[in-house]
Amino acid sequence: MTNVARHARPADLIDASLEDIMARYVKRFSETVADWNAFSDASIEGYHRAQHRFVGAGASGKHGEGSAIPPGGFTLSIMNVPPGQGNAPHTHEVEEVFFVLQGECVVFIEDEDGRRLSQTLTPWEMIACPPGVIHGYVNEAAEPCFLQVMLGKGRPETAGFADSALFSRRDDHLA
């Protein structure tokens, strides 16, 4: 019996061996490095967090770094969010998903007038934030929280911070 691939491989994988594909597309947590400077707001108290990149650049805007799996149509990172920390309210041009793996996290959405709705998520719960909707999260618990974060584009634009001062320096971490 012969298997038939019903969809074509991407051009860069046409002649790749299974060994090459496996080596390129498997990523272990032990191979990642906690990037505590992945975001321009990460140096501000209340926004400290570390990004572990798995696929693409994640939400940081740092494209093509290190040993992350090359992005296709999405990015994937794991965030280590210490107690009392989170991220600044922001938007993206694509949807962003926060999926709680460990701990708990308060996720929020807000409008341009500052009205905010929040919910606490625990393991195996998530929020999908639509494009253009201001959103974020904060760890209000006593233990660290680990979130899986996905963006719906292989190379998303850098986050659009709602705060004008943060927005003006949003690319500082890329220098």
Side-chain angles (χ1 to χ4, degrees):
M1 179 175 180
T2 302
N3 291 331
V4 177
R6 303 293 180 190
H7 298 88
R9 287 184 181 185
D12 63 332
L13 294 180
I14 289 175
D15 295 322
S17 70
L18 291 180
E19 290 79 8
D20 291 341
I21 294 170
M22 188 69 80
R24 182 175 178 183
Y25 289 95
V26 170
K27 181 75 174 171
R28 300 183 187 283
F29 186 79
S30 62
E31 298 168 348
T32 66
V33 175
D35 185 351
W36 290 93
N37 191 32
F39 307 93
S40 60
D41 65 336
S43 63
I44 300 169
E45 180 56 39
Y47 301 139
H48 300 304
R49 62 201 182 282
Q51 180 182 46
H52 294 264
R53 288 176 196 81
F54 280 80
V55 177
S60 72
K62 292 181 175 181
H63 299 301
E65 294 178 58
S67 62
I69 294 171
F74 67 94
T75 66
L76 184 136
S77 294
I78 302 298
M79 295 296 172
N80 173 351
V81 187
Q85 306 299 311
N87 67 355
H90 66 282
T91 61
H92 291 284
E93 81 280 16
V94 295
E95 67 185 329
E96 182 173 35
V97 172
F98 302 140
F99 188 99
V100 178
L101 299 171
Q102 181 180 325
E104 65 180 51
C105 192
V106 176
V107 296
F108 62 83
I109 58 173
E110 60 183 51
D111 63 22
E112 289 77 7
D113 294 326
R115 181 172 175 259
R116 179 181 282 194
L117 293 180
S118 300
Q119 286 196 17
T120 300
L121 301 180
T122 59
W124 302 97
E125 297 179 335
M126 48 98 32
I127 182 172
C129 306
V133 173
I134 300 169
H135 63 276
Y137 57 81
V138 62
N139 179 358
E140 295 179 353
E143 300 294 324
C145 175
F146 288 85
L147 301 172
Q148 175 181 301
V149 178
M150 293 181 68
L151 283 126
K153 186 176 179 183
R155 296 197 179 274
E157 296 173 12
T158 303
F161 293 110
D163 178 283
S164 295
L166 285 176
F167 183 76
S168 69
R169 53 175 265 199
R170 71 183 181 147
D171 292 331
D172 289 354
H173 69 292
L174 298 174

